[in-house]
Amino acid sequence: MDDLRETHQIGANSREWMVGMDTCRPLAAQHIRLTGISDARDGFSFVRHQPDISQILACFSGAGEVLIDGTWKPCRTGEAYLTPGGKLHAYRAVANHGWGVCWISYDERPGHPLSIAAATPVLAPYDPRPLHDAIQGLYRECVGPDDPALVHHWTQLIQLLGQRAIRPYATDERLWRLWEKVDADLGHHWILSELAVLAGMSGEHLRRLCQRQIGRSPLEHVTWLRMRRAASLLTGSGRRIEAIAGAVGYENAFAFSTAFKRHMKRTPSSYRGVRS
């Protein structure tokens, strides 16, 4: 095996665009220590033996190499290297090849909702484009207008896209299995006790887990899923508002319109008109 001494080396020909929690407070709120985009070239090499971070490293162009079970393996476009805290991990650019990666480094704490629960680093399929664009958006906002609202929303988007990568390796997968079931049947009249049974836990534990991982109560998240689906149906189909109301679990168009306006700040008809 190659020499695996602790190494943190960007290389003279690599370029990086980064935002850190020290200068971006919303990142600190999400326990994101650093996020960025790297145009990695010769000399780009990192080896961490007992890191106090967990990390998502997603390749959007070219190819590099990552250490998996003691062996260097290629990390190509459409793959992410997921590294849990406290575990040896290593990655590097390949001579004469460019390697474009976007990444998130999380402060690692036991029980953190974004912890990667894999025993060792893993290489997983992942579409890097949304994460790349979100990090680029945050970077440009932070070095430019620095509008607090936009910084907050870019950070939220990065956090959600990070969750998408981590989801199969998260500390507790029961929530994501639950929301997949709920999202497949939004017309159902969901109640907390039923959600708890599906998740395999008590209602109070489900409430605490939801609040910690997604910042909403279980029923608030059901409503969020309904509004998301309704917005898609309003702009992507010609269905009547009454039909959309039923499809997302509302008994009548009035109740649906009231809920939609409360969450989306405009009526269903005006939302459809603005985006048509």
Side-chain angles (χ1 to χ4, degrees):
M1 182 187 295
D2 292 354
D3 183 6
L4 288 178
R5 288 175 295 181
E6 186 84 11
T7 305
H8 300 240
Q9 182 175 300
I10 296 173
N13 296 318
S14 300
R15 295 186 63 197
E16 292 194 307
W17 300 262
M18 300 182 293
V19 182
M21 62 163 55
D22 292 340
T23 56
C24 180
R25 294 184 64 184
L27 287 179
Q30 299 297 339
H31 307 286
I32 296 174
R33 183 180 298 182
L34 200 62
T35 186
I37 298 170
S38 300
D39 177 14
R41 303 286 169 170
D42 290 358
F44 183 89
S45 178
F46 286 79
V47 178
R48 299 185 179 98
H49 285 272
Q50 292 184 314
D52 60 351
I53 60 169
S54 55
Q55 184 168 264
I56 300 165
L57 184 83
C59 175
F60 61 84
S61 68
E65 291 184 334
V66 299
L67 193 69
I68 300 287
D69 296 328
T71 302
W72 288 103
K73 295 187 177 180
C75 178
R76 302 183 178 93
T77 302
E79 294 181 317
Y81 186 49
L82 309 178
T83 60
K87 305 294 183 181
L88 167 66
H89 69 254
Y91 50 92
R92 64 191 183 188
V94 179
N96 302 317
H97 288 80
W99 188 29
V101 288
C102 51
W103 42 269
I104 310 172
S105 295
Y106 297 100
D107 265 333
E108 183 61 27
R109 297 180 295 131
H112 187 286
L114 285 173
S115 292
I116 299 171
T120 59
V122 295
L123 191 60
Y126 180 70
D127 181 357
R129 293 169 297 179
L131 180 60
H132 170 279
D133 292 348
I135 295 171
Q136 186 178 68
L138 177 64
Y139 174 81
R140 288 178 173 174
E141 191 62 35
C142 286
V143 300
D146 201 20
D147 182 278
L150 285 173
V151 168
H152 171 78
H153 287 303
W154 280 124
T155 300
Q156 287 286 315
L157 184 56
I158 290 168
Q159 185 254 2
L160 289 169
L161 292 167
Q163 285 184 335
R164 178 179 292 175
I166 292 171
R167 188 174 303 171
Y169 310 96
T171 303
D172 194 325
E173 297 181 35
R174 291 177 291 178
L175 274 189
W176 305 115
R177 291 197 297 267
L178 169 64
W179 299 133
E180 286 173 357
K181 293 175 183 176
V182 171
D183 196 51
D185 190 10
L186 289 174
H188 182 74
H189 181 64
W190 295 103
I191 58 175
L192 179 60
S193 59
E194 189 176 15
L195 294 172
V197 169
L198 279 177
M201 62 185 75
S202 70
E204 179 58 22
H205 184 62
L206 176 61
R207 184 193 67 77
R208 290 197 303 267
L209 195 60
C210 285
Q211 200 65 48
R212 187 168 74 242
Q213 292 201 9
I214 58 179
R216 289 186 282 268
S217 73
L219 292 179
E220 285 173 342
H221 193 62
V222 171
T223 300
W224 183 84
L225 291 172
R226 285 173 169 157
M227 294 302 103
R228 185 184 69 166
R229 177 70 59 80
S232 296
L233 291 173
L234 284 165
T235 58
S237 77
R239 297 172 69 174
R240 294 169 57 86
I241 290 176
E242 291 81 358
I244 293 174
V248 296
Y250 290 87
E251 295 181 355
N252 57 68
F254 178 77
F256 164 67
S257 296
T258 300
F260 191 88
K261 185 176 181 180
R262 183 168 62 248
H263 285 82
M264 307 301 287
K265 310 306 180 187
R266 53 168 47 96
T267 65
S269 57
S270 65
Y271 186 92
R272 169 176 272 168
V274 166
R275 285 159 175 76
S276 61

